[in-house]
PDB file of all heavy atoms in Angstrom:
ATOM      1  N   GLY A   1      16.959 -14.032  11.356  1.00 98.00           N
ATOM      2  CA  GLY A   1      15.590 -14.028  11.830  1.00 98.00           C
ATOM      3  C   GLY A   1      15.301 -12.819  12.693  1.00 98.00           C
ATOM      4  O   GLY A   1      16.199 -12.110  13.140  1.00 98.00           O
ATOM      5  N   GLY A   2      14.017 -12.590  12.918  1.00 98.00           N
ATOM      6  CA  GLY A   2      13.613 -11.468  13.731  1.00 98.00           C
ATOM      7  C   GLY A   2      12.140 -11.179  13.594  1.00 98.00           C
ATOM      8  O   GLY A   2      11.368 -11.996  13.093  1.00 98.00           O
ATOM      9  N   LEU A   3      11.758 -10.001  14.045  1.00 98.00           N
ATOM     10  CA  LEU A   3      10.382  -9.542  14.015  1.00 98.00           C
ATOM     11  C   LEU A   3      10.197  -8.560  12.866  1.00 98.00           C
ATOM     12  O   LEU A   3      10.973  -7.609  12.724  1.00 98.00           O
ATOM     13  CB  LEU A   3      10.019  -8.879  15.340  1.00 98.00           C
ATOM     14  CG  LEU A   3       8.635  -8.252  15.457  1.00 98.00           C
ATOM     15  CD1 LEU A   3       7.559  -9.319  15.329  1.00 98.00           C
ATOM     16  CD2 LEU A   3       8.511  -7.505  16.775  1.00 98.00           C
ATOM     17  N   VAL A   4       9.169  -8.788  12.070  1.00 98.00           N
ATOM     18  CA  VAL A   4       8.899  -7.929  10.932  1.00 98.00           C
ATOM     19  C   VAL A   4       7.392  -7.784  10.772  1.00 98.00           C
ATOM     20  O   VAL A   4       6.629  -8.690  11.121  1.00 98.00           O
ATOM     21  CB  VAL A   4       9.542  -8.499   9.644  1.00 98.00           C
ATOM     22  CG1 VAL A   4       8.934  -9.843   9.284  1.00 98.00           C
ATOM     23  CG2 VAL A   4       9.426  -7.522   8.492  1.00 98.00           C
ATOM     24  N   GLN A   5       6.960  -6.653  10.261  1.00 98.00           N
ATOM     25  CA  GLN A   5       5.541  -6.429  10.025  1.00 98.00           C
ATOM     26  C   GLN A   5       5.084  -7.122   8.751  1.00 98.00           C
ATOM     27  O   GLN A   5       5.868  -7.342   7.827  1.00 98.00           O
ATOM     28  CB  GLN A   5       5.242  -4.935   9.931  1.00 98.00           C
ATOM     29  CG  GLN A   5       5.415  -4.180  11.233  1.00 98.00           C
ATOM     30  CD  GLN A   5       4.986  -2.730  11.120  1.00 98.00           C
ATOM     31  OE1 GLN A   5       4.740  -2.223  10.029  1.00 98.00           O
ATOM     32  NE2 GLN A   5       4.887  -2.060  12.254  1.00 98.00           N
ATOM     33  N   ALA A   6       3.810  -7.474   8.724  1.00 98.00           N
ATOM     34  CA  ALA A   6       3.239  -8.074   7.525  1.00 98.00           C
ATOM     35  C   ALA A   6       3.485  -7.181   6.313  1.00 98.00           C
ATOM     36  O   ALA A   6       3.349  -5.960   6.383  1.00 98.00           O
ATOM     37  CB  ALA A   6       1.749  -8.313   7.718  1.00 98.00           C
ATOM     38  N   GLY A   7       3.842  -7.815   5.210  1.00 98.00           N
ATOM     39  CA  GLY A   7       4.169  -7.090   4.003  1.00 98.00           C
ATOM     40  C   GLY A   7       5.635  -6.756   3.867  1.00 98.00           C
ATOM     41  O   GLY A   7       6.080  -6.349   2.781  1.00 98.00           O
ATOM     42  N   GLY A   8       6.378  -6.936   4.921  1.00 98.00           N
ATOM     43  CA  GLY A   8       7.786  -6.628   4.906  1.00 98.00           C
ATOM     44  C   GLY A   8       8.635  -7.757   4.374  1.00 98.00           C
ATOM     45  O   GLY A   8       8.135  -8.795   3.939  1.00 98.00           O
ATOM     46  N   SER A   9       9.933  -7.558   4.436  1.00 98.00           N
ATOM     47  CA  SER A   9      10.896  -8.521   3.912  1.00 98.00           C
ATOM     48  C   SER A   9      11.944  -8.853   4.956  1.00 98.00           C
ATOM     49  O   SER A   9      12.219  -8.072   5.863  1.00 98.00           O
ATOM     50  CB  SER A   9      11.588  -7.968   2.662  1.00 98.00           C
ATOM     51  OG  SER A   9      10.672  -7.726   1.618  1.00 98.00           O
ATOM     52  N   LEU A  10      12.516 -10.014   4.778  1.00 98.00           N
ATOM     53  CA  LEU A  10      13.566 -10.480   5.661  1.00 98.00           C
ATOM     54  C   LEU A  10      14.447 -11.438   4.883  1.00 98.00           C
ATOM     55  O   LEU A  10      13.956 -12.194   4.035  1.00 98.00           O
ATOM     56  CB  LEU A  10      12.961 -11.176   6.879  1.00 98.00           C
ATOM     57  CG  LEU A  10      13.759 -11.239   8.182  1.00 98.00           C
ATOM     58  CD1 LEU A  10      14.048  -9.836   8.701  1.00 98.00           C
ATOM     59  CD2 LEU A  10      12.977 -12.029   9.222  1.00 98.00           C
ATOM     60  N   LYS A  11      15.730 -11.424   5.181  1.00 98.00           N
ATOM     61  CA  LYS A  11      16.656 -12.325   4.521  1.00 98.00           C
ATOM     62  C   LYS A  11      17.350 -13.202   5.549  1.00 98.00           C
ATOM     63  O   LYS A  11      17.984 -12.703   6.474  1.00 98.00           O
ATOM     64  CB  LYS A  11      17.697 -11.550   3.719  1.00 98.00           C
ATOM     65  CG  LYS A  11      18.627 -12.436   2.903  1.00 98.00           C
ATOM     66  CD  LYS A  11      19.596 -11.609   2.073  1.00 98.00           C
ATOM     67  CE  LYS A  11      20.506 -12.482   1.236  1.00 98.00           C
ATOM     68  NZ  LYS A  11      21.445 -11.672   0.411  1.00 98.00           N
ATOM     69  N   LEU A  12      17.213 -14.494   5.369  1.00 98.00           N
ATOM     70  CA  LEU A  12      17.889 -15.463   6.211  1.00 98.00           C
ATOM     71  C   LEU A  12      19.144 -15.968   5.517  1.00 98.00           C
ATOM     72  O   LEU A  12      19.202 -16.045   4.292  1.00 98.00           O
ATOM     73  CB  LEU A  12      16.979 -16.647   6.530  1.00 98.00           C
ATOM     74  CG  LEU A  12      15.608 -16.336   7.124  1.00 98.00           C
ATOM     75  CD1 LEU A  12      14.870 -17.632   7.414  1.00 98.00           C
ATOM     76  CD2 LEU A  12      15.738 -15.482   8.372  1.00 98.00           C
ATOM     77  N   SER A  13      20.118 -16.330   6.313  1.00 98.00           N
ATOM     78  CA  SER A  13      21.347 -16.880   5.774  1.00 98.00           C
ATOM     79  C   SER A  13      21.737 -18.115   6.572  1.00 98.00           C
ATOM     80  O   SER A  13      21.494 -18.192   7.777  1.00 98.00           O
ATOM     81  CB  SER A  13      22.465 -15.842   5.825  1.00 98.00           C
ATOM     82  OG  SER A  13      23.639 -16.329   5.224  1.00 98.00           O
ATOM     83  N   CYS A  14      22.321 -19.068   5.897  1.00 98.00           N
ATOM     84  CA  CYS A  14      22.798 -20.295   6.528  1.00 98.00           C
ATOM     85  C   CYS A  14      24.256 -20.493   6.150  1.00 98.00           C
ATOM     86  O   CYS A  14      24.583 -20.602   4.963  1.00 98.00           O
ATOM     87  CB  CYS A  14      21.962 -21.485   6.077  1.00 98.00           C
ATOM     88  SG  CYS A  14      22.587 -23.095   6.616  1.00 98.00           S
ATOM     89  N   ALA A  15      25.105 -20.536   7.150  1.00 98.00           N
ATOM     90  CA  ALA A  15      26.527 -20.777   6.940  1.00 98.00           C
ATOM     91  C   ALA A  15      26.836 -22.235   7.225  1.00 98.00           C
ATOM     92  O   ALA A  15      26.528 -22.744   8.303  1.00 98.00           O
ATOM     93  CB  ALA A  15      27.347 -19.865   7.833  1.00 98.00           C
ATOM     94  N   ALA A  16      27.448 -22.901   6.272  1.00 98.00           N
ATOM     95  CA  ALA A  16      27.766 -24.319   6.395  1.00 98.00           C
ATOM     96  C   ALA A  16      29.254 -24.511   6.618  1.00 98.00           C
ATOM     97  O   ALA A  16      30.086 -23.806   6.048  1.00 98.00           O
ATOM     98  CB  ALA A  16      27.324 -25.073   5.146  1.00 98.00           C
ATOM     99  N   SER A  17      29.579 -25.493   7.430  1.00 98.00           N
ATOM    100  CA  SER A  17      30.968 -25.857   7.662  1.00 98.00           C
ATOM    101  C   SER A  17      31.050 -27.354   7.939  1.00 98.00           C
ATOM    102  O   SER A  17      30.053 -28.003   8.227  1.00 98.00           O
ATOM    103  CB  SER A  17      31.563 -25.063   8.834  1.00 98.00           C
ATOM    104  OG  SER A  17      30.863 -25.326  10.036  1.00 98.00           O
ATOM    105  N   GLY A  18      32.251 -27.901   7.835  1.00 97.00           N
ATOM    106  CA  GLY A  18      32.437 -29.314   8.083  1.00 97.00           C
ATOM    107  C   GLY A  18      32.002 -30.211   6.945  1.00 97.00           C
ATOM    108  O   GLY A  18      31.855 -31.428   7.136  1.00 97.00           O
ATOM    109  N   LEU A  19      31.799 -29.642   5.788  1.00 96.00           N
ATOM    110  CA  LEU A  19      31.408 -30.408   4.615  1.00 96.00           C
ATOM    111  C   LEU A  19      31.982 -29.772   3.367  1.00 96.00           C
ATOM    112  O   LEU A  19      32.398 -28.615   3.383  1.00 96.00           O
ATOM    113  CB  LEU A  19      29.883 -30.534   4.521  1.00 96.00           C
ATOM    114  CG  LEU A  19      29.039 -29.257   4.633  1.00 96.00           C
ATOM    115  CD1 LEU A  19      29.142 -28.400   3.383  1.00 96.00           C
ATOM    116  CD2 LEU A  19      27.585 -29.605   4.901  1.00 96.00           C
ATOM    117  N   THR A  20      31.999 -30.562   2.310  1.00 97.00           N
ATOM    118  CA  THR A  20      32.325 -30.010   1.000  1.00 97.00           C
ATOM    119  C   THR A  20      31.030 -29.464   0.429  1.00 97.00           C
ATOM    120  O   THR A  20      30.182 -30.208  -0.061  1.00 97.00           O
ATOM    121  CB  THR A  20      32.930 -31.077   0.087  1.00 97.00           C
ATOM    122  OG1 THR A  20      34.116 -31.605   0.693  1.00 97.00           O
ATOM    123  CG2 THR A  20      33.292 -30.474  -1.263  1.00 97.00           C
ATOM    124  N   PHE A  21      30.880 -28.177   0.507  1.00 97.00           N
ATOM    125  CA  PHE A  21      29.594 -27.537   0.277  1.00 97.00           C
ATOM    126  C   PHE A  21      28.996 -27.880  -1.084  1.00 97.00           C
ATOM    127  O   PHE A  21      27.786 -28.098  -1.203  1.00 97.00           O
ATOM    128  CB  PHE A  21      29.742 -26.025   0.441  1.00 97.00           C
ATOM    129  CG  PHE A  21      28.449 -25.274   0.424  1.00 97.00           C
ATOM    130  CD1 PHE A  21      27.543 -25.404   1.456  1.00 97.00           C
ATOM    131  CD2 PHE A  21      28.144 -24.427  -0.631  1.00 97.00           C
ATOM    132  CE1 PHE A  21      26.347 -24.709   1.448  1.00 97.00           C
ATOM    133  CE2 PHE A  21      26.953 -23.719  -0.651  1.00 97.00           C
ATOM    134  CZ  PHE A  21      26.055 -23.862   0.389  1.00 97.00           C
ATOM    135  N   THR A  22      29.831 -27.945  -2.096  1.00 97.00           N
ATOM    136  CA  THR A  22      29.337 -28.202  -3.444  1.00 97.00           C
ATOM    137  C   THR A  22      28.834 -29.629  -3.641  1.00 97.00           C
ATOM    138  O   THR A  22      28.236 -29.928  -4.677  1.00 97.00           O
ATOM    139  CB  THR A  22      30.418 -27.900  -4.490  1.00 97.00           C
ATOM    140  OG1 THR A  22      31.618 -28.613  -4.163  1.00 97.00           O
ATOM    141  CG2 THR A  22      30.723 -26.409  -4.535  1.00 97.00           C
ATOM    142  N   ASN A  23      29.054 -30.509  -2.682  1.00 97.00           N
ATOM    143  CA  ASN A  23      28.542 -31.874  -2.751  1.00 97.00           C
ATOM    144  C   ASN A  23      27.156 -32.024  -2.129  1.00 97.00           C
ATOM    145  O   ASN A  23      26.619 -33.132  -2.111  1.00 97.00           O
ATOM    146  CB  ASN A  23      29.491 -32.846  -2.061  1.00 97.00           C
ATOM    147  CG  ASN A  23      30.723 -33.146  -2.897  1.00 97.00           C
ATOM    148  OD1 ASN A  23      30.728 -32.922  -4.106  1.00 97.00           O
ATOM    149  ND2 ASN A  23      31.761 -33.649  -2.259  1.00 97.00           N
ATOM    150  N   TYR A  24      26.593 -30.942  -1.637  1.00 98.00           N
ATOM    151  CA  TYR A  24      25.344 -31.022  -0.890  1.00 98.00           C
ATOM    152  C   TYR A  24      24.257 -30.152  -1.487  1.00 98.00           C
ATOM    153  O   TYR A  24      24.480 -28.985  -1.817  1.00 98.00           O
ATOM    154  CB  TYR A  24      25.572 -30.598   0.562  1.00 98.00           C
ATOM    155  CG  TYR A  24      26.305 -31.624   1.379  1.00 98.00           C
ATOM    156  CD1 TYR A  24      27.685 -31.759   1.285  1.00 98.00           C
ATOM    157  CD2 TYR A  24      25.608 -32.468   2.238  1.00 98.00           C
ATOM    158  CE1 TYR A  24      28.353 -32.721   2.030  1.00 98.00           C
ATOM    159  CE2 TYR A  24      26.269 -33.419   2.986  1.00 98.00           C
ATOM    160  CZ  TYR A  24      27.642 -33.536   2.883  1.00 98.00           C
ATOM    161  OH  TYR A  24      28.294 -34.485   3.627  1.00 98.00           O
ATOM    162  N   ALA A  25      23.083 -30.752  -1.609  1.00 98.00           N
ATOM    163  CA  ALA A  25      21.893 -29.955  -1.830  1.00 98.00           C
ATOM    164  C   ALA A  25      21.536 -29.250  -0.526  1.00 98.00           C
ATOM    165  O   ALA A  25      21.781 -29.770   0.562  1.00 98.00           O
ATOM    166  CB  ALA A  25      20.730 -30.834  -2.282  1.00 98.00           C
ATOM    167  N   MET A  26      20.955 -28.079  -0.640  1.00 98.00           N
ATOM    168  CA  MET A  26      20.617 -27.285   0.537  1.00 98.00           C
ATOM    169  C   MET A  26      19.144 -26.930   0.515  1.00 98.00           C
ATOM    170  O   MET A  26      18.550 -26.751  -0.549  1.00 98.00           O
ATOM    171  CB  MET A  26      21.452 -26.008   0.588  1.00 98.00           C
ATOM    172  CG  MET A  26      22.957 -26.231   0.603  1.00 98.00           C
ATOM    173  SD  MET A  26      23.529 -27.122   2.081  1.00 98.00           S
ATOM    174  CE  MET A  26      23.045 -25.981   3.389  1.00 98.00           C
ATOM    175  N   GLY A  27      18.578 -26.802   1.695  1.00 97.00           N
ATOM    176  CA  GLY A  27      17.162 -26.501   1.776  1.00 97.00           C
ATOM    177  C   GLY A  27      16.808 -25.664   2.985  1.00 97.00           C
ATOM    178  O   GLY A  27      17.604 -25.501   3.912  1.00 97.00           O
ATOM    179  N   TRP A  28      15.595 -25.137   2.943  1.00 98.00           N
ATOM    180  CA  TRP A  28      15.008 -24.401   4.059  1.00 98.00           C
ATOM    181  C   TRP A  28      13.670 -25.028   4.422  1.00 98.00           C
ATOM    182  O   TRP A  28      12.871 -25.370   3.542  1.00 98.00           O
ATOM    183  CB  TRP A  28      14.795 -22.931   3.716  1.00 98.00           C
ATOM    184  CG  TRP A  28      16.047 -22.111   3.686  1.00 98.00           C
ATOM    185  CD1 TRP A  28      16.793 -21.796   2.593  1.00 98.00           C
ATOM    186  CD2 TRP A  28      16.688 -21.494   4.804  1.00 98.00           C
ATOM    187  NE1 TRP A  28      17.865 -21.018   2.956  1.00 98.00           N
ATOM    188  CE2 TRP A  28      17.826 -20.818   4.310  1.00 98.00           C
ATOM    189  CE3 TRP A  28      16.420 -21.442   6.169  1.00 98.00           C
ATOM    190  CZ2 TRP A  28      18.687 -20.099   5.146  1.00 98.00           C
ATOM    191  CZ3 TRP A  28      17.274 -20.735   6.990  1.00 98.00           C
ATOM    192  CH2 TRP A  28      18.392 -20.072   6.477  1.00 98.00           C
ATOM    193  N   PHE A  29      13.441 -25.145   5.708  1.00 98.00           N
ATOM    194  CA  PHE A  29      12.191 -25.657   6.244  1.00 98.00           C
ATOM    195  C   PHE A  29      11.737 -24.747   7.374  1.00 98.00           C
ATOM    196  O   PHE A  29      12.517 -23.966   7.899  1.00 98.00           O
ATOM    197  CB  PHE A  29      12.361 -27.091   6.756  1.00 98.00           C
ATOM    198  CG  PHE A  29      12.727 -28.071   5.681  1.00 98.00           C
ATOM    199  CD1 PHE A  29      14.022 -28.148   5.197  1.00 98.00           C
ATOM    200  CD2 PHE A  29      11.772 -28.916   5.142  1.00 98.00           C
ATOM    201  CE1 PHE A  29      14.370 -29.040   4.202  1.00 98.00           C
ATOM    202  CE2 PHE A  29      12.105 -29.819   4.143  1.00 98.00           C
ATOM    203  CZ  PHE A  29      13.400 -29.876   3.674  1.00 98.00           C
ATOM    204  N   ARG A  30      10.484 -24.874   7.741  1.00 98.00           N
ATOM    205  CA  ARG A  30       9.988 -24.082   8.858  1.00 98.00           C
ATOM    206  C   ARG A  30       9.020 -24.897   9.687  1.00 98.00           C
ATOM    207  O   ARG A  30       8.395 -25.845   9.210  1.00 98.00           O
ATOM    208  CB  ARG A  30       9.326 -22.792   8.366  1.00 98.00           C
ATOM    209  CG  ARG A  30       8.056 -23.001   7.555  1.00 98.00           C
ATOM    210  CD  ARG A  30       7.583 -21.686   6.969  1.00 98.00           C
ATOM    211  NE  ARG A  30       6.319 -21.820   6.266  1.00 98.00           N
ATOM    212  CZ  ARG A  30       5.742 -20.854   5.577  1.00 98.00           C
ATOM    213  NH1 ARG A  30       6.335 -19.652   5.493  1.00 98.00           N
ATOM    214  NH2 ARG A  30       4.586 -21.057   4.966  1.00 98.00           N
ATOM    215  N   GLN A  31       8.893 -24.493  10.929  1.00 98.00           N
ATOM    216  CA  GLN A  31       7.991 -25.178  11.836  1.00 98.00           C
ATOM    217  C   GLN A  31       7.351 -24.166  12.771  1.00 98.00           C
ATOM    218  O   GLN A  31       8.044 -23.464  13.509  1.00 98.00           O
ATOM    219  CB  GLN A  31       8.727 -26.251  12.640  1.00 98.00           C
ATOM    220  CG  GLN A  31       7.813 -27.133  13.459  1.00 98.00           C
ATOM    221  CD  GLN A  31       8.514 -28.376  13.959  1.00 98.00           C
ATOM    222  OE1 GLN A  31       9.738 -28.430  14.028  1.00 98.00           O
ATOM    223  NE2 GLN A  31       7.739 -29.387  14.294  1.00 98.00           N
ATOM    224  N   ALA A  32       6.043 -24.105  12.710  1.00 98.00           N
ATOM    225  CA  ALA A  32       5.271 -23.242  13.584  1.00 98.00           C
ATOM    226  C   ALA A  32       4.803 -24.045  14.796  1.00 98.00           C
ATOM    227  O   ALA A  32       4.713 -25.274  14.737  1.00 98.00           O
ATOM    228  CB  ALA A  32       4.079 -22.662  12.842  1.00 98.00           C
ATOM    229  N   PRO A  33       4.488 -23.375  15.893  1.00 94.00           N
ATOM    230  CA  PRO A  33       4.018 -24.088  17.084  1.00 94.00           C
ATOM    231  C   PRO A  33       2.808 -24.960  16.782  1.00 94.00           C
ATOM    232  O   PRO A  33       1.849 -24.518  16.150  1.00 94.00           O
ATOM    233  CB  PRO A  33       3.663 -22.958  18.046  1.00 94.00           C
ATOM    234  CG  PRO A  33       4.530 -21.819  17.623  1.00 94.00           C
ATOM    235  CD  PRO A  33       4.608 -21.928  16.128  1.00 94.00           C
ATOM    236  N   GLY A  34       2.871 -26.208  17.219  1.00 95.00           N
ATOM    237  CA  GLY A  34       1.770 -27.123  17.022  1.00 95.00           C
ATOM    238  C   GLY A  34       1.653 -27.711  15.635  1.00 95.00           C
ATOM    239  O   GLY A  34       0.706 -28.467  15.372  1.00 95.00           O
ATOM    240  N   LYS A  35       2.574 -27.401  14.752  1.00 97.00           N
ATOM    241  CA  LYS A  35       2.528 -27.901  13.386  1.00 97.00           C
ATOM    242  C   LYS A  35       3.789 -28.699  13.065  1.00 97.00           C
ATOM    243  O   LYS A  35       4.813 -28.564  13.729  1.00 97.00           O
ATOM    244  CB  LYS A  35       2.372 -26.757  12.386  1.00 97.00           C
ATOM    245  CG  LYS A  35       1.107 -25.937  12.563  1.00 97.00           C
ATOM    246  CD  LYS A  35       0.959 -24.899  11.465  1.00 97.00           C
ATOM    247  CE  LYS A  35       0.731 -25.550  10.113  1.00 97.00           C
ATOM    248  NZ  LYS A  35       0.507 -24.533   9.044  1.00 97.00           N
ATOM    249  N   GLU A  36       3.684 -29.510  12.037  1.00 97.00           N
ATOM    250  CA  GLU A  36       4.827 -30.283  11.597  1.00 97.00           C
ATOM    251  C   GLU A  36       5.762 -29.430  10.759  1.00 97.00           C
ATOM    252  O   GLU A  36       5.374 -28.395  10.214  1.00 97.00           O
ATOM    253  CB  GLU A  36       4.370 -31.507  10.809  1.00 97.00           C
ATOM    254  CG  GLU A  36       3.466 -32.428  11.594  1.00 97.00           C
ATOM    255  CD  GLU A  36       3.601 -33.874  11.173  1.00 97.00           C
ATOM    256  OE1 GLU A  36       4.253 -34.143  10.143  1.00 97.00           O
ATOM    257  OE2 GLU A  36       3.071 -34.731  11.877  1.00 97.00           O
ATOM    258  N   ARG A  37       6.991 -29.872  10.670  1.00 97.00           N
ATOM    259  CA  ARG A  37       7.970 -29.158   9.882  1.00 97.00           C
ATOM    260  C   ARG A  37       7.562 -29.167   8.411  1.00 97.00           C
ATOM    261  O   ARG A  37       7.163 -30.194   7.862  1.00 97.00           O
ATOM    262  CB  ARG A  37       9.355 -29.775  10.061  1.00 97.00           C
ATOM    263  CG  ARG A  37      10.487 -28.900   9.550  1.00 97.00           C
ATOM    264  CD  ARG A  37      11.823 -29.327  10.149  1.00 97.00           C
ATOM    265  NE  ARG A  37      11.845 -29.164  11.602  1.00 97.00           N
ATOM    266  CZ  ARG A  37      12.930 -29.317  12.356  1.00 97.00           C
ATOM    267  NH1 ARG A  37      14.086 -29.642  11.792  1.00 97.00           N
ATOM    268  NH2 ARG A  37      12.855 -29.159  13.659  1.00 97.00           N
ATOM    269  N   GLU A  38       7.684 -28.015   7.768  1.00 96.00           N
ATOM    270  CA  GLU A  38       7.176 -27.797   6.428  1.00 96.00           C
ATOM    271  C   GLU A  38       8.306 -27.434   5.464  1.00 96.00           C
ATOM    272  O   GLU A  38       9.179 -26.626   5.789  1.00 96.00           O
ATOM    273  CB  GLU A  38       6.132 -26.674   6.448  1.00 96.00           C
ATOM    274  CG  GLU A  38       5.603 -26.256   5.090  1.00 96.00           C
ATOM    275  CD  GLU A  38       4.757 -24.999   5.160  1.00 96.00           C
ATOM    276  OE1 GLU A  38       4.842 -24.271   6.181  1.00 96.00           O
ATOM    277  OE2 GLU A  38       3.996 -24.739   4.208  1.00 96.00           O
ATOM    278  N   PHE A  39       8.258 -28.010   4.284  1.00 96.00           N
ATOM    279  CA  PHE A  39       9.220 -27.680   3.239  1.00 96.00           C
ATOM    280  C   PHE A  39       8.993 -26.268   2.729  1.00 96.00           C
ATOM    281  O   PHE A  39       7.864 -25.873   2.438  1.00 96.00           O
ATOM    282  CB  PHE A  39       9.093 -28.669   2.084  1.00 96.00           C
ATOM    283  CG  PHE A  39       9.911 -28.298   0.881  1.00 96.00           C
ATOM    284  CD1 PHE A  39      11.287 -28.451   0.884  1.00 96.00           C
ATOM    285  CD2 PHE A  39       9.304 -27.797  -0.257  1.00 96.00           C
ATOM    286  CE1 PHE A  39      12.050 -28.111  -0.216  1.00 96.00           C
ATOM    287  CE2 PHE A  39      10.054 -27.451  -1.367  1.00 96.00           C
ATOM    288  CZ  PHE A  39      11.432 -27.611  -1.349  1.00 96.00           C
ATOM    289  N   VAL A  40      10.067 -25.517   2.597  1.00 97.00           N
ATOM    290  CA  VAL A  40       9.996 -24.147   2.106  1.00 97.00           C
ATOM    291  C   VAL A  40      10.663 -24.012   0.746  1.00 97.00           C
ATOM    292  O   VAL A  40      10.065 -23.527  -0.207  1.00 97.00           O
ATOM    293  CB  VAL A  40      10.635 -23.165   3.102  1.00 97.00           C
ATOM    294  CG1 VAL A  40      10.688 -21.757   2.517  1.00 97.00           C
ATOM    295  CG2 VAL A  40       9.864 -23.161   4.414  1.00 97.00           C
ATOM    296  N   ALA A  41      11.912 -24.428   0.645  1.00 97.00           N
ATOM    297  CA  ALA A  41      12.658 -24.271  -0.594  1.00 97.00           C
ATOM    298  C   ALA A  41      13.893 -25.153  -0.561  1.00 97.00           C
ATOM    299  O   ALA A  41      14.391 -25.515   0.503  1.00 97.00           O
ATOM    300  CB  ALA A  41      13.060 -22.810  -0.814  1.00 97.00           C
ATOM    301  N   ALA A  42      14.392 -25.488  -1.741  1.00 97.00           N
ATOM    302  CA  ALA A  42      15.622 -26.258  -1.841  1.00 97.00           C
ATOM    303  C   ALA A  42      16.331 -25.925  -3.144  1.00 97.00           C
ATOM    304  O   ALA A  42      15.704 -25.482  -4.111  1.00 97.00           O
ATOM    305  CB  ALA A  42      15.341 -27.759  -1.760  1.00 97.00           C
ATOM    306  N   VAL A  43      17.623 -26.162  -3.158  1.00 97.00           N
ATOM    307  CA  VAL A  43      18.440 -25.873  -4.321  1.00 97.00           C
ATOM    308  C   VAL A  43      19.472 -26.976  -4.493  1.00 97.00           C
ATOM    309  O   VAL A  43      20.029 -27.487  -3.519  1.00 97.00           O
ATOM    310  CB  VAL A  43      19.106 -24.482  -4.191  1.00 97.00           C
ATOM    311  CG1 VAL A  43      19.965 -24.390  -2.933  1.00 97.00           C
ATOM    312  CG2 VAL A  43      19.932 -24.147  -5.424  1.00 97.00           C
TER     313      VAL A  43
END
């Protein structure tokens, strides 16, 4: 995460541990101030 200008790109990464990774579906969510958590993507 970080600060980026509109139109730019950013890559987030999530490192998992303590689980058998291939047994889990993974997802990304986001939450802005004053808003509920929102679904972004899942695999």
Side-chain angles (χ1 to χ4, degrees):
L3 176 64
V4 63
Q5 292 185 349
S9 298
L10 205 61
K11 185 177 181 179
L12 307 182
S13 184
C14 172
S17 61
L19 51 73
T20 301
F21 188 68
T22 53
N23 284 341
Y24 286 79
M26 302 297 298
W28 286 96
F29 297 78
R30 66 187 184 186
Q31 188 166 20
K35 299 185 67 177
E36 301 210 350
R37 194 161 297 188
E38 175 190 17
F39 172 74
V40 174
V43 58

